[in-house]
Amino acid sequence: MNTNGGHMRPEEINQLVDSGRRAEEIIRERDHLQSCRQCRANLIQLGRIDSALRNLPLPEPGEGFTAGVLARIGQPTGGIAPEPSFAYVKAFLYVLVAISIAAGTLLLGFAAARPQVASGAGFFLKRVLDRAGEIAVDGVGLLIGPVGGALDQRTFVICAIGLATAIALAILDGAIAHRFGGRVPSGR
Amino acid sequence: MNEPDHSIIEQIRNGETRKYAVLVDRYKRRGLALALRILRDQEEAEEATQDAFLRAFRGLDGFRGESSFGTWFYRILYNLCISRTRRGRPKNVSIGSLDDDAIEEGILADESADLTLAIEGQDIRDHVLIELDRLPDNYRIALTLFYLQELSYEEIASMMKVPIGTVKTNLHRARSRLKDRVIVALSMEGLPV
């Protein structure tokens, strides 16, 4: 036996623990362990730590973990949506609408603030910008004034287009959700 | 009787990809345990485990079966977690654990102390869980791979890219340090040691 000030070296005791045998059994076979209280205690303690480590509770992943993995590999499982290619279509539509709204707002604001610039661009463009300016003014009136008084035909058309677009997107979103039975889970 | 991994893998290769759920269910908890021990963050650990399952699925055609699916999967997960830690993610420090000074001043510093443990299962397990998180990375990960993933010395050495002797040394030192810390923790709670 290798000694460590008369005691077994920690590596030796660890090797005995690694053998997977019961401490009592090991102690019976080793004279030193029978006579040395410290080494015996060390073996028993390490054995208990070993046993605790073997019986540690395993963590539980969040609900939908497995479904999340399958969704990511493109495999639908009962009510779980894969990453559909529609997501790209939807994202494209949202971007298109956002760009249109931004461009429209810019155009309307520009035409309302600088109507004289439009005159140099020709009669048709002037007409368009003038009308756009009127619409913008009406739009502001709609926002700040009584709704009924400011709601003329042009404003109504603009609002209707905006509303129709929003409804179309909502229907598309709903159709995708219905087709695949829900949203893609995060895995948590 | 559980269907063996290789049989499930064969079915997946033949197009029954839904069967992958069986493998995910079989290894997700131990996988998550490994990721948690390395990353120390539940959300990030779950993400990493999902990523590892995804990578394993995509690489399934290249899986030759030289090791078990579990060992192969844990290797993917281990590498993924290690690469995440190298990106400088801050680590959460577990609460309720002991600092090294406490260990130094602990009863084990006194060789005359009575070392007979009078503690049982649950007490030890609770403290082992807490103190495990405070071990240095190489100790903590080696213990996790050995006890939770149930890998052999050779498999751990291969995964961690260190010699087998280093794995054994790390395991032994980790277990001894864990033992010392648990005993000190219990003594500080007034439990008999």
Side-chain angles (χ1 to χ4, degrees):
Chain A
M1 178 189 70
N2 292 319
T3 58
N4 173 31
H7 297 292
M8 293 176 75
R9 289 188 293 115
E11 306 88 75
E12 283 182 274
I13 298 182
N14 266 293
Q15 281 171 6
L16 291 173
V17 172
D18 277 348
S19 71
R21 297 161 65 206
R22 291 169 54 83
E24 294 77 7
E25 190 182 335
I26 295 169
I27 291 167
R28 270 201 303 272
E29 293 174 1
R30 299 234 169 188
D31 291 342
H32 178 78
L33 287 173
Q34 288 174 28
S35 59
C36 178
R37 188 179 189 186
Q38 185 168 320
C39 287
R40 192 168 60 242
N42 205 4
L43 175 73
I44 293 170
Q45 290 161 0
L46 279 172
R48 288 182 177 170
I49 294 294
D50 176 77
S51 172
L53 284 165
R54 290 184 192 282
N55 292 294
L56 283 181
L58 290 171
E60 197 63 57
E63 255 183 69
F65 180 92
T66 303
V69 173
L70 295 187
R72 290 177 66 187
I73 64 175
Q75 179 61 44
T77 63
I80 301 303
E83 301 266 19
S85 57
F86 286 112
Y88 297 105
V89 176
K90 198 166 66 170
F92 175 74
L93 281 174
Y94 282 134
V95 169
L96 195 65
V97 168
I99 290 173
S100 301
I101 290 171
T105 306
L106 191 67
L107 183 65
L108 294 178
F110 182 74
R114 305 282 297 276
Q116 68 278 12
V117 175
S119 64
F123 179 74
F124 179 74
L125 185 57
K126 180 178 183 302
R127 293 263 305 169
V128 169
L129 291 176
D130 282 348
R131 299 295 267 177
E134 288 168 18
I135 293 169
V137 170
D138 286 346
V140 172
L142 179 64
L143 287 174
I144 64 176
V147 174
L151 193 63
D152 65 9
Q153 190 176 358
R154 290 185 303 274
T155 310
F156 178 79
V157 170
I158 293 283
C159 289
I161 290 171
L163 191 62
T165 307
I167 291 172
L169 286 173
I171 290 173
L172 181 62
D173 204 11
I176 291 170
H178 178 74
R179 164 68 179 80
F180 293 102
R183 299 179 67 82
V184 177
S186 68
R188 289 190 52 70
Chain B
M1 182 71 183
N2 282 342
E3 195 171 0
D5 288 353
H6 63 82
S7 162
I8 295 169
I9 290 168
E10 204 51 46
Q11 293 173 59
I12 295 168
R13 283 173 173 158
N14 290 332
E16 289 185 56
T17 50
R18 288 177 65 107
K19 293 288 280 188
Y20 194 56
V22 179
L23 290 179
V24 174
D25 282 338
R26 194 169 286 178
Y27 292 99
K28 64 184 179 185
R29 295 180 72 207
R30 289 187 187 278
L32 180 61
L34 174 61
L36 264 175
R37 291 279 168 256
I38 299 174
L39 298 170
R40 306 191 195 193
D41 179 89
Q42 176 81 18
E43 192 172 342
E44 195 172 3
E46 287 203 24
E47 274 179 27
T49 310
Q50 277 202 336
D51 286 350
F53 275 120
L54 197 63
R55 287 191 187 193
F57 178 81
R58 287 174 179 161
L60 215 50
D61 282 339
F63 174 60
R64 299 175 185 279
E66 289 164 357
S67 62
S68 70
F69 173 82
T71 304
W72 182 66
F73 166 70
Y74 295 141
R75 183 191 297 269
I76 293 173
L77 178 59
Y78 172 82
N79 289 332
L80 207 61
C81 291
I82 293 298
S83 70
R84 280 185 180 229
T85 60
R86 285 178 182 154
R87 277 184 285 180
R89 180 194 50 74
K91 291 175 180 176
N92 296 333
V93 177
S94 61
I95 53 173
S97 51
L98 299 166
D99 59 31
D100 288 331
D101 288 343
I103 302 292
E104 292 296 321
E105 292 165 6
I107 58 158
L108 287 189
D110 180 3
E111 287 193 358
S112 65
D114 186 347
L115 298 176
T116 306
L117 275 175
I119 48 178
E120 291 301 336
Q122 189 60 44
D123 288 325
I124 296 180
R125 207 158 43 236
D126 290 347
H127 284 285
V128 163
L129 263 178
I130 292 169
E131 297 304 329
L132 188 58
D133 273 346
R134 284 210 70 233
L135 291 175
D137 287 352
N138 52 342
Y139 287 2
R140 190 180 64 253
I141 295 169
L143 279 178
T144 303
L145 291 170
F146 186 74
Y147 284 104
L148 290 178
Q149 274 63 55
E150 298 174 341
L151 301 184
S152 65
Y153 293 143
E154 289 78 9
E155 287 170 334
I156 297 171
S158 165
M159 195 175 288
M160 296 182 78
K161 297 182 176 65
V162 294
I164 290 177
T166 305
V167 171
K168 285 184 183 175
T169 303
N170 284 345
L171 277 172
H172 292 170
R173 287 181 180 167
R175 199 160 47 200
S176 293
R177 191 178 290 194
L178 201 56
K179 181 203 74 173
D180 292 350
R181 290 183 174 200
V182 168
I183 290 174
V184 172
L186 287 165
S187 72
M188 289 173 77
E189 285 185 359
L191 289 169
V193 289

